[in-house]
Amino acid sequence: TVESGLSTTIDRTLSPAPSGVLWGHVSDAETGGPVSADLSIVDTPAGTTSDPSTGAFSLALPAGVHTLEARRNGYRRATVPDLEIVADEATQIEIGVTRAPTLLLVDSGGWYYESQASFFEMALDDRDYVYDVLEVRDVERDVPELEALTPYDAVVWSSPLDAPGLIGAGEVISGYLLAGGSLLLTGQDVGFWDDGLSGVFWHPYYRQFLKTTTLADDAGRDDVVGLAEEILHDLSLQMNGPDSAGNQALPDLISLREPRDAAVIAEYTDDGEAAVRASECQSYRAVYVAPGLEGLGDRGSRAEVMERSLTWLDMDHPDVGARLLPAQQEQVWLLGSAVTYTLELQNTGQFGDQFALELGPSAWPVSVWDGTFSRVIAESDLLDSCVTQTLGIRVTVPPGVRWNASDTVTLTARSLADPARTAEAAFVTKAPAPILLVDDHRWRDVGDRYQAALEGNGLSYDVWRKKAPGHADGTSPSLQRMQRYAIVLWFTAYDWHETLTPDEEAKLATYLGGGGRLLLSSQDYLFTSGLTEFGRDYLGVADYTESLTATQ
């Protein structure tokens, strides 16, 4: 009974629950050395830390069955379930923890109330990574300094709607990567802000270290697919997947700038590049996923992206290695007796090396030259680490070659320091097919319909693709190229902006004047060009109406 204005005192004596002792050691699973780790009993406040010099620990626990976790940044989390503690007895356990990179998760969404850190924590927890978290809740106080990043082997940086440069951390990232750090950066507007698409801001780290440029602020909501033989191979990540944050509204469309030092690892299903890794030969490594990882796939696939990215970021630079760029080239023979290719051989190992240059079987004569095509070579120069050498390939086309005949040859660069380490590049050389398919679409790609129609009729063809707007190359085929084909099939699909330019009309007029044959499929040619001399004299158009109502 408690009475007003009076204090009531009661005494109770608690009897200790039956308890036992858990003791043992935490050690490095590889070296056996002691590890100081934080140990906790799941769903209880009980915990302790193992001794740094011996790895020993001791913990009094209530009798019963418990689950023990051992955590240390720089190691994977170790979990020991079903530990039975017997009253008045000591239970011994030895825990081996596996090394992992020391990790920092930077959560940059808090300052505008859009934190998505929970999705990154789930991905890390699901693969037993241990990490620290740095929250940016105030851009005046919380933006990390370089000293906050340098102790960590890798930094995972989540920017849901902002970007590191935008909040004043561009120099911090530059300094961290220059010092040899590893970065996983993701966010749907990182390129929009830090590559200058906003028109009000940019930071050089984006192009300098990510080796990437941003083509458009909105890549659409296509799914993201990992490329074959890359670190995200066989992964298909649904945009705004069912258990994701569902927040991807304007994911950036990106493009690789420097294939020597980086590679595309994932693309949007219909709209270009979505993720890259950089850099093969620099002191740092970075993985950049342009859409926010929080809005991709499901929980399992996000954890897999995290696992593969961190595994690649943590890899040692190889002692011996090489790359041939580009890895595949194809050319159609037009004039002369030979087709030539140029490519670059890069030493990706840590030490100087020389490479034997070996050609695979080929029905057409092939030779390897130096970059100026002044001498035939069988070995590369002695290349220091990360240095490249330009090579030439010359393929002689046999006389009397038939329509659409082709030959493929493979070049292998074999390390003299370790002959088991090789790089390969393939070259496909072909005579023109009877038909040249000019894919001049804009916005909506319908090329598969034309190719299916040609293939369904057993017709051989070559494809010339004009790049979509925003790409550097938007050229149409040259007159010389078109004159090597009996028929040109040219389509413009949904392009109501610019179908045939005056220069293209002039080239087609010359092609037709020389006996060429043209099928032009273009719903808006007359709308965009009007009735020109080419339309009257070569297409035979006397008059036209710009639109009609489709009834069937």
Side-chain angles (χ1 to χ4, degrees), residues 434-514:
I435 299 169
L436 177 63
L437 177 63
V438 180
D439 181 345
D440 190 9
H441 83 273
R442 188 187 301 259
W443 299 305
R444 296 181 185 174
D445 187 358
V446 296
D448 56 338
R449 273 79 162 180
Y450 289 87
Q451 294 184 53
L454 289 165
E455 292 163 7
N457 285 281
L459 300 174
S460 300
Y461 63 94
D462 295 330
V463 180
W464 180 276
R465 291 183 176 87
K466 285 184 64 175
K467 297 290 183 68
H471 288 69
D473 182 13
T475 60
S476 55
S478 66
L479 174 61
Q480 181 188 71
R481 180 174 295 274
M482 289 193 293
Q483 287 173 334
R484 294 288 287 156
Y485 291 86
I487 298 173
V488 171
L489 198 170
W490 191 309
F491 71 90
T492 66
Y494 184 66
D495 185 1
W496 48 260
H497 175 68
E498 181 181 70
T499 51
L500 296 185
T501 66
D503 177 64
E504 289 168 343
E505 286 188 335
K507 286 191 291 186
L508 285 171
T510 304
Y511 168 72
L512 291 172

Side-chain angles (χ1 to χ4, degrees), residues 136-159:
V136 181
R137 294 174 176 264
D138 186 325
V139 292
E140 299 296 327
R141 299 193 310 262
D142 299 336
V143 175
E145 300 290 341
L146 179 59
E147 293 74 18
L149 270 57
T150 49
Y152 295 92
D153 297 326
V155 173
V156 178
W157 196 300
S158 165
S159 291

Side-chain angles (χ1 to χ4, degrees), residues 354-432:
Q354 197 170 7
F355 300 87
L357 304 173
E358 306 167 357
L359 288 169
S362 172
W364 296 0
V366 186
S367 50
V368 184
W369 296 68
D370 67 348
T372 62
F373 287 92
S374 60
R375 59 188 175 91
V376 176
I377 59 175
E379 293 181 348
S380 73
D381 298 337
L382 179 61
L383 302 177
D384 289 335
S385 177
C386 295
V387 170
T388 61
Q389 179 182 354
T390 302
L391 306 175
I393 300 292
R394 181 183 178 92
V395 180
T396 301
V397 181
V401 67
R402 297 184 300 172
W403 286 105
N404 210 42
S406 66
D407 187 59
T408 301
V409 65
T410 299
L411 172 67
T412 300
R414 188 178 304 277
S415 165
L416 298 186
D418 180 0
R421 302 301 295 268
T422 62
E424 291 187 348
F427 305 89
V428 180
T429 308
K430 67 184 299 294

